[in-house]
Amino acid sequence: MSEIPGPVPNRESDLARPRERKGSDVQPVTRGLARPAKPPNADRDWHPIARRLWDSLKQSGQADFYQASDWALAYSLCEDLSYYKNAGKRSGQMLQTIYSAFERLLVAEGDRRRVRIELHEPEPEVQSAAVLAIADYKKDLGLAE
């Protein structure tokens, strides 16, 4: 499996101007239709580390982009990782191959940034000044709950 080439790019917010204005070769995107995908349950016999990785994949932001084939690949890799962790004699090459394959699933932040996917904290809900003023007014009148 080949690694994603090149250094980890800066976050889009760290750039002085958008990449498309820098004169670099920005390739057009071919679009398809995303289909709902439900991850299968983890195998109960997996090594605890493989199971923990599987559970974290389901909770992580990149899972928003996963399709059924991505979940199938992740399942296969967790199966391989479990086999590796349970093996008496371990191969460094096998572990490197497993980790390289996880890069394709954008498991680590650097892998996501290389393909220009950034996960951000949700924006806090901001109440308007009018809503806050009315709530304060009700509180002052003893009408608030």
Side-chain angles (χ1 to χ4, degrees):
M1 309 235 163
S2 63
E3 294 182 28
I4 300 171
V8 176
N10 289 331
R11 287 184 166 273
E12 194 74 31
S13 60
D14 294 340
L15 300 176
R17 61 180 184 234
R19 284 185 174 89
E20 59 269 5
R21 287 188 35 218
K22 288 188 167 195
S24 64
D25 295 331
V26 177
Q27 300 295 320
V29 175
T30 303
R31 299 184 187 273
L33 210 60
R35 295 181 173 95
K38 185 175 186 279
N41 293 324
D43 188 322
R44 289 187 176 130
D45 296 331
W46 279 350
H47 188 278
I49 293 173
R51 176 120 192 183
R52 185 173 186 179
L53 180 58
W54 177 259
D55 291 341
S56 71
L57 283 175
K58 293 192 303 185
Q59 297 170 4
S60 296
Q62 75 270 11
D64 293 346
F65 300 98
Y66 283 4
Q67 291 291 289
S69 57
D70 299 309
W71 286 115
L73 177 59
Y75 190 94
S76 178
L77 291 172
C78 285
E79 179 75 22
D80 293 341
L81 181 61
S82 181
Y83 175 83
Y84 173 82
K85 293 290 186 184
N86 287 320
K89 186 175 179 183
R90 297 179 178 177
S91 160
Q93 181 61 44
M94 181 179 181
L95 183 61
Q96 180 58 45
T97 302
I98 292 168
Y99 284 170
S100 292
F102 273 116
E103 288 177 12
R104 296 173 67 193
L105 290 172
L106 309 176
V107 172
E109 181 183 8
D111 301 328
R112 291 187 294 273
R113 286 176 45 198
R114 280 188 187 93
V115 296
R116 298 176 55 196
I117 292 176
E118 297 176 5
L119 302 176
H120 297 275
E121 295 293 323
E123 295 291 324
E125 285 189 30
V126 179
Q127 290 185 331
S128 71
V131 171
L132 293 174
I134 291 170
D136 287 342
Y137 183 68
K138 284 181 174 180
K139 183 178 173 188
D140 291 343
L141 293 174
L143 301 173
E145 297 168 0

